[in-house]
């Protein structure tokens, strides 16, 4: 999970996609820009949600509705510096702590879906915690040498 400006709660990296990229490329880019991680994106969605764009939050009109997707990423590289680290910090946390920190119900649903998917592949391994600033980015240690993040 990552911190965001002017908030005390946590989110998974998220954002829109550009005209020249698909949703998978956008998820990978957002994970790199906001959390400073790169990896292999699992193209099977963990969930999706419908929400109002920031500019349409106070409108009762259906205009401004957006659909978002969330994916798991096997983290292969953790960058020492990344484009948005001045506004988005990270700290690796256990699945239980990530569940408690989720700002939105759809985040908890995606985390539950990931844990269920991992338990079908292999028993969930213990989590690893790395301290980096005072913010968070969710990770699960899937095997002794790999991690999974949500983006």
């Amino acid at each position: 999970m990552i911190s965001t400006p002017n908030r005390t709660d946590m989110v998974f990296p998220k954002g829109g996609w550009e005209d020249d990229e698909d949703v998978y490329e956008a998820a990978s880019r957002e994970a790199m820009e906001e959390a400073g991680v790169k990896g292999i994106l699992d193209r099977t969605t963990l969930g999706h949600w419908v929400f109002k764009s920031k500019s349409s939050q106070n409108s009762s009109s259906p205009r401004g509705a957006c659909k978002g997707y969330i994916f798991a990423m096997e983290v292969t590289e953790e960058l020492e510096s990344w484009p948005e680290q001045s506004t988005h910090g990270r700290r690796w946390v256990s699945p239980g702590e990530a569940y408690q920190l989720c700002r939105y119900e759809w985040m908890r649903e995606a985390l539950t879906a990931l844990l269920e998917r991992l338990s079908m592949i292999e028993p969930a391994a213990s989590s690893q915690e790395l301290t980096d600033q005072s913010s968070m980015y969710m990770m699960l240690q899937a095997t002794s040498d790999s991690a999974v993040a949500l983006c």
Side-chain angles (χ1 to χ4, degrees):
M1 300 181 89
I2 58 171
S3 64
T4 56
N6 305 317
R7 300 283 308 229
T8 58
D9 50 6
M10 304 278 112
V11 296
F12 298 119
K14 59 185 176 48
W17 56 87
E18 306 296 330
D19 291 338
D20 64 341
E21 65 185 359
D22 62 29
V23 66
Y24 311 110
E25 292 166 323
S28 295
R29 178 182 48 75
E30 290 291 341
M32 187 279 298
E33 288 177 355
E34 293 185 353
V37 295
K38 294 181 178 183
I40 302 164
L41 192 74
D42 183 338
R43 289 178 172 240
T44 305
T45 183
L46 291 169
H48 67 276
W49 69 102
V50 176
F51 61 96
K52 291 266 199 170
S53 67
K54 286 182 184 177
S55 62
S56 302
Q57 292 279 325
N58 297 326
S59 170
S60 59
S61 166
R63 292 185 55 161
C66 302
K67 188 173 185 178
Y69 301 87
I70 192 161
F71 302 96
M73 173 186 279
E74 180 182 351
V75 176
T76 59
E77 184 178 1
E78 183 178 358
L79 305 174
E80 289 186 31
S81 62
W82 58 96
E84 297 180 22
Q85 78 181 83
S86 64
T87 56
H88 295 82
R90 69 169 180 233
R91 183 176 59 125
W92 299 93
V93 298
S94 70
E97 189 175 357
Y99 195 85
Q100 295 284 343
L101 294 168
C102 288
R103 180 186 300 173
Y104 304 109
E105 182 59 30
W106 61 263
M107 290 182 183
R108 286 185 283 280
E109 291 170 4
L111 179 55
T112 299
L114 174 62
L115 293 172
E116 289 171 357
R117 185 181 298 171
L118 289 175
S119 69
M120 287 188 278
I121 298 170
E122 62 185 88
S126 63
S127 61
Q128 172 185 354
E129 187 174 319
L130 302 174
T131 303
D132 183 8
Q133 300 179 13
S134 61
S135 333
M136 307 195 171
Y137 182 83
M138 201 289 294
M139 72 79 72
L140 300 173
Q141 186 172 341
T143 64
S144 61
D145 60 350
S146 69
V148 177
L150 300 182
C151 56

